[in-house]
Amino acid sequence: MSNAVNYRLKGDIGIIEISNPPVNATSHAVRKGLLAALENAEQEANAALIVGAGRTFIAGADISEFGKPPKKPGLPDICNRIEASPIPIVASLHGTALGGGLEVALAAHYRVAVPTAKVGLPEVTLGIIPGAGGTQRLPRLIGAEAALGIITSGRHVPINEAYQVGLVDQISDGTPEENGLAFIHDLLSKGHGPRPVSGIPAPKPVDFDAWHAKTLKSGKGQIAPATAVRAVEAASTLSFLDGLKRERELFTELMASPQREGLIHAFFAERAVSKLPELKGIDPREIAKVGVIGGGTMGSGIATACLVAGLDITLIERDAQSAEAARTKVETFLKAAIKRGKLSEDAFAKITSTTFRTATEYTALAEADLVIEAVFEDMDVKKSVFATLDSICKPEAVLATNTSYLDVNEIAAATSRPQSVIGLHFFSPAHVMKLLEVVVADATSAETTATAFTFAKRLRKTAVRAGVCDGFIGNRILAYYRTALDNMVLDGASPYQIDKALTAFGMAMGPFAVSDLAGLDIGWATRKRKAATRDPRARIPTFADRLCEMGRFGQKTGRGFYIYEEGKRGGIKDPEVEEIIAKERAALGITPRSFTEEDIQRRFLGALINEAARVLADGIARRPLDIDVTLLYGYGFPRWRGGPMKWADIAGLSGILSDIRTFAAEDAYFWSPAPLLEHLVAEGRTFEDLNKEHTS
Ligand code: T1G
């Protein structure tokens, strides 16, 4: 028996326990052990029980094996072998029975579970489809429609719902072993034997073409969910064995796809970002009481995120009226969290009566463990706030700024505790967006950084370590690729054509629609802030200044690049904007030229990767995967492309560099190739090579 699977006989029942922490993934050792244990049970037992050791049943195939040569026995063979057993096999679920784990359970003849268990087939979130019989057995068990909903979404299904649709036979309060043994004793006492799911008649067909079209559309370029529809269709139209063959064909095709490579990279990258060698062995400080300075949209959002995470919040505003307004804003956010199912009514009552308070005096923060400043983006204001906090807060309190671009070193220098000062750059809305840039200043201690990452995990946010520069990782890269887009508008492209081209690439929103959402006045203020130090060779998007001068700031004023009509989602194109752009081009003596969708995408990506390479070289991001996670979680980069750096590796760095050199012929200043990119291409290396160099 492999040590990944334990087997023992209890009475006349063979107990097969998967023990492969942390999530009992079906590694090669597990697959071999499962087979051996099953053969043992069939020799000596009247029935067998499959359970998972530790916190969960099997959570899926071992994703770290993907892309490597498969080792026999494969999981499909194991599942078919379980199902063909002459003795009844029962799977007893707890934790999350996902992917291959649920497929093992479906191959068993019966399934029982604890009330807190969840099941699912999340393979499409990894760019593949269930590949061990899930698309053939699940539809037989619960019908094609219900199976399609679970498989194409990849969602985790609460066990009550699974029981309602007939996916599990019983929910019991005991331990997985107790539940399984009790069920088997009852089964044997009634003389019930094996009940192979594959013996259930093929499910009635549904409108698979309609499902395929709907899934393709909602997938926004992802192919796995729509492919899963065709696998489930095979369950309705082919024999079980032919259906398994069809599933395997489609699974194998997807396993070789760049989308699988991108999504698996995203899966591991979002877990790797919090693994920093510098934090190894460093204990974070305990955070229970948090102070927030400033009750505007950001401050109230940050306070809400902390309150939902169970922290105690004191929000400081300058006067009673502002404090009351902030309280109202926080309570509105909390009520929205209730509607989203993220907060219970009881929790809301507890928060508003005990753990949330506003105040107008900083002395209320004397006992805070962490204070997060979210006041006006002005260095003098921030330095004054930090100096005051420094004099009032307890010595071990961490002082954090939510600034989106100001120099955290300068802010830290306004205190006597720079080692305890850090940047926590939340993304708006702060209580919804998962990304948090943890900006580590020169004097910030490892303990303070570790505290910030632990705090982020408590808020269920994905924290990325960033160095100090204007814009840190995300906004610095955004500013650069946004300039490339603005330059294309100056040269002849329309904002609407660019938005269309980039959403066709997979971006969640067009960049000009994003500007309208965030407010054009933000970019305007940034251009004015940088005007004094701007390089004379830099081109200025004067068309955007014209719109701002007209008070057209975007959604908040009803007009920006688009026109927003009351009650209508999304904006409509505005011919007046195109006239303004044409006038600016004429004033600049530019003869507009046309751009294809590909031109737009290549310039967008060339600029993004060029600046990302500089961000890496400057040490602002430690690894390319940190940039991937930042752009995936904060800027709508398509997850199925793995993030910009993963996409660049797949597309080929030499082609990207060649594009940049071509564009440099038009504008050598803006398109000067990043030296790191040139070195990687010259050495035949990839961004993934740099990730590997940094993995501890
Ligand atoms: N394979 C390998 N490692 C895995 C893994 C997996 N399936 N799932 C998790 N891990 C690692 C993860 O990288 C992390 O490692 C640690 O376990 C804890 O994970 C044939 C082919 C189960 C809900 O998609 O959704 O089956 O960082 O931090 O927040 O049809 O992990 O500690 O080194 O996420 O408590 C289908 C993926 C696979 C489930 C637990 N299964 N996993 O969440 O912990 S494809 C999945 C999850 C498949 C078959 C196909 C979550 C979780 P480290 P964690 P968590």
Side-chain angles (χ1 to χ4, degrees):
M1 200 75 56
S2 74
N3 57 9
V5 176
N6 305 314
Y7 172 76
R8 60 191 161 87
L9 187 64
K10 188 163 187 175
D12 62 345
I13 298 168
I15 297 177
I16 302 171
E17 183 191 58
I18 318 295
S19 176
N20 182 28
V23 297
N24 289 326
T26 55
S27 62
H28 183 232
V30 167
R31 299 195 300 271
K32 283 195 305 184
L34 249 175
L35 205 49
L38 186 62
E39 283 158 1
N40 276 355
E42 287 170 349
Q43 295 304 318
E44 58 185 19
N46 290 328
L49 169 63
I50 303 176
V51 290
R55 63 177 175 146
T56 181
F57 189 71
I58 302 165
D62 186 341
I63 302 175
S64 62
E65 290 180 355
F66 289 3
K68 296 171 189 162
K71 287 182 187 170
K72 287 195 175 303
L75 195 58
D77 302 332
I78 298 291
C79 289
N80 295 341
R81 178 68 184 74
I82 290 169
E83 186 174 69
S85 179
I87 61 172
I89 309 288
V90 173
S92 185
L93 313 182
H94 73 297
T96 48
L98 301 172
L102 181 57
E103 289 175 301
V104 166
L106 289 169
H109 304 128
Y110 304 88
R111 288 150 293 282
V112 298
V114 298
T116 53
K118 289 192 176 174
V119 297
L121 292 172
E123 285 84 345
V124 295
T125 65
L126 301 172
I128 50 178
I129 60 169
T135 65
Q136 306 305 305
R137 291 191 174 95
L138 189 62
R140 279 176 167 73
L141 200 57
I142 68 172
E145 193 76 14
L148 283 166
I150 290 172
I151 295 172
T152 57
S153 66
R155 69 186 177 91
H156 297 182
V157 180
I159 207 64
N160 282 331
E161 182 188 338
Y163 176 75
Q164 292 305 323
V165 296
L167 211 167
V168 292
D169 299 289
Q170 186 173 290
I171 299 175
S172 313
D173 281 327
T175 66
E177 183 171 316
E178 289 165 350
N179 295 343
L181 291 174
F183 187 86
I184 289 174
H185 287 137
D186 182 52
L187 205 64
L188 295 177
S189 69
K190 292 173 183 166
H192 292 315
R195 186 190 65 178
V197 170
S198 61
I200 300 171
K204 279 203 303 298
V206 296
D207 187 342
F208 290 105
D209 290 342
W211 261 98
H212 185 266
K214 174 179 75 170
T215 310
L216 206 54
K217 187 161 182 284
S218 59
K220 291 191 185 156
Q222 289 187 83
I223 50 176
T227 304
V229 174
R230 295 308 181 199
V232 173
E233 182 175 18
S236 271
T237 53
L238 304 176
S239 71
F240 180 72
L241 288 180
D242 288 343
L244 282 182
K245 281 196 197 102
R246 185 68 185 129
E247 175 192 82
R248 181 51 46 179
E249 278 165 21
L250 295 170
F251 172 85
T252 307
E253 269 170 42
L254 289 172
M255 192 52 102
S257 74
Q259 292 196 10
R260 186 273 304 159
E261 193 179 345
L263 285 165
I264 298 287
H265 170 76
F267 176 86
F268 285 116
E270 67 199 6
R271 289 159 176 82
V273 281
S274 57
K275 293 186 187 108
L276 299 171
E278 74 211 59
L279 301 186
K280 258 204 170 126
I282 304 289
D283 292 333
R285 288 181 208 158
E286 189 59 39
I287 301 289
K289 291 178 183 300
V290 177
V292 175
I293 312 280
T297 305
M298 284 310 286
S300 298
I302 294 168
T304 303
C306 294
L307 289 164
V308 170
L311 292 163
D312 178 285
I313 291 293
T314 301
L315 189 151
I316 302 287
E317 256 295 356
R318 55 177 174 283
D319 56 43
Q321 192 185 353
S322 311
E324 198 39 43
R327 167 180 289 281
T328 305
K329 212 176 269 155
V330 169
E331 290 186 358
T332 305
F333 288 157
L334 289 170
K335 284 175 187 152
I338 294 172
K339 281 210 185 78
R340 290 202 311 270
K342 301 284 183 201
L343 191 71
S344 68
E345 296 282 359
D346 291 350
F348 176 82
K350 178 170 175 278
I351 286 169
T352 47
S353 58
T354 56
T355 56
F356 176 48
R357 69 198 68 75
T358 59
T360 57
E361 299 300 330
Y362 279 38
T363 46
L365 301 181
E367 290 313 307
D369 304 304
L370 163 69
V371 179
I372 305 170
E373 163 273 316
V375 300
F376 185 60
E377 284 287 70
D378 175 278
M379 182 55 88
D380 292 339
V381 171
K382 291 188 187 294
K383 286 163 81 169
S384 157
V385 165
F386 273 77
T388 307
L389 289 172
D390 190 33
S391 66
I392 286 171
C393 294
K394 58 188 185 184
E396 66 275 23
V398 170
L399 307 182
T401 172
N402 171 55
T403 184
S404 57
Y405 65 86
L406 291 173
D407 185 336
V408 184
N409 288 317
E410 196 177 337
I411 294 172
T415 74
S416 63
R417 64 176 89 186
Q419 72 285 359
S420 295
V421 175
I422 198 162
L424 291 179
H425 179 219
F426 288 82
F427 285 72
S428 185
H431 57 298
V432 175
M433 293 292 282
K434 276 183 74 83
L435 182 63
L436 178 66
E437 281 180 314
V438 174
V439 185
V440 179
D442 298 346
T444 304
S445 69
E447 188 193 23
T448 298
T449 307
T451 303
F453 271 85
T454 305
F455 170 71
K457 197 169 174 79
R458 176 81 185 268
L459 268 56
R460 301 183 69 78
K461 289 202 180 279
T462 299
V464 178
R465 185 200 186 285
V468 176
C469 74
D470 189 336
F472 314 133
I473 298 174
N475 283 347
R476 171 171 161 181
I477 291 171
L478 165 66
Y480 191 81
Y481 71 67
R482 182 53 201 255
T483 300
L485 303 179
D486 288 339
N487 290 350
M488 272 194 274
V489 170
L490 288 171
D491 290 336
S494 93
Y496 313 116
Q497 184 193 9
I498 289 176
D499 278 1
K500 187 166 176 292
L502 297 191
T503 47
F505 173 77
M507 297 298 287
M509 268 177 88
F512 290 93
V514 170
S515 295
D516 275 358
L517 177 65
L520 301 189
D521 45 330
I522 294 176
W524 195 28
T526 304
R527 287 193 295 279
K528 286 192 270 190
R529 170 168 64 84
K530 291 183 173 177
T533 55
R534 180 188 296 123
D535 186 297
R537 293 168 294 177
R539 301 176 70 185
I540 306 161
T542 50
F543 54 88
D545 294 345
R546 296 298 86 76
L547 290 177
C548 292
E549 287 154 9
M550 296 160 70
R552 299 182 56 164
F553 294 148
Q555 288 195 18
K556 60 184 160 187
T557 57
R559 295 184 78 167
F561 285 102
Y562 294 85
I563 298 171
Y564 298 90
E565 288 171 356
E566 233 5 77
K568 269 195 182 163
R569 278 179 61 83
I572 48 178
K573 296 179 190 176
D574 183 350
E576 211 179 305
V577 168
E578 306 216 69
E579 286 163 21
I580 292 167
I581 294 169
K583 268 196 208 126
E584 290 306 312
R585 288 182 190 134
L588 293 164
I590 294 170
T591 308
R593 64 185 173 86
S594 64
F595 287 82
T596 64
E597 179 173 283
E598 190 186 354
D599 289 338
I600 292 168
Q601 291 174 354
R602 290 171 78 156
R603 284 164 188 269
F604 161 67
L605 291 157
L608 196 166
I609 299 304
N610 206 27
E611 188 60 13
R614 284 195 275 258
V615 163
L616 267 178
D618 293 350
I620 300 301
R622 276 280 164 79
R623 303 155 293 186
L625 65 86
D626 294 288
I627 295 173
D628 283 334
V629 172
T630 300
L631 272 287
L632 287 176
Y633 276 95
Y635 296 81
F637 196 90
R639 183 181 175 86
W640 47 270
R641 294 188 187 271
M645 314 308 264
K646 185 62 185 174
W647 170 84
D649 280 351
I650 294 173
L653 299 189
S654 56
I656 295 166
L657 178 59
S658 151
D659 278 354
I660 292 168
R661 286 176 172 154
T662 304
F663 304 147
E666 302 159 16
D667 179 345
Y669 164 70
F670 179 79
W671 286 107
S672 62
L676 173 63
L677 186 57
E678 293 183 304
H679 294 151
L680 289 175
V681 171
E683 296 152 10
R685 295 197 306 143
T686 62
F687 287 123
E688 184 56 22
D689 291 330
L690 299 183
N691 285 330
K692 289 197 177 96
E693 282 168 21
H694 278 88
T695 303
S696 53

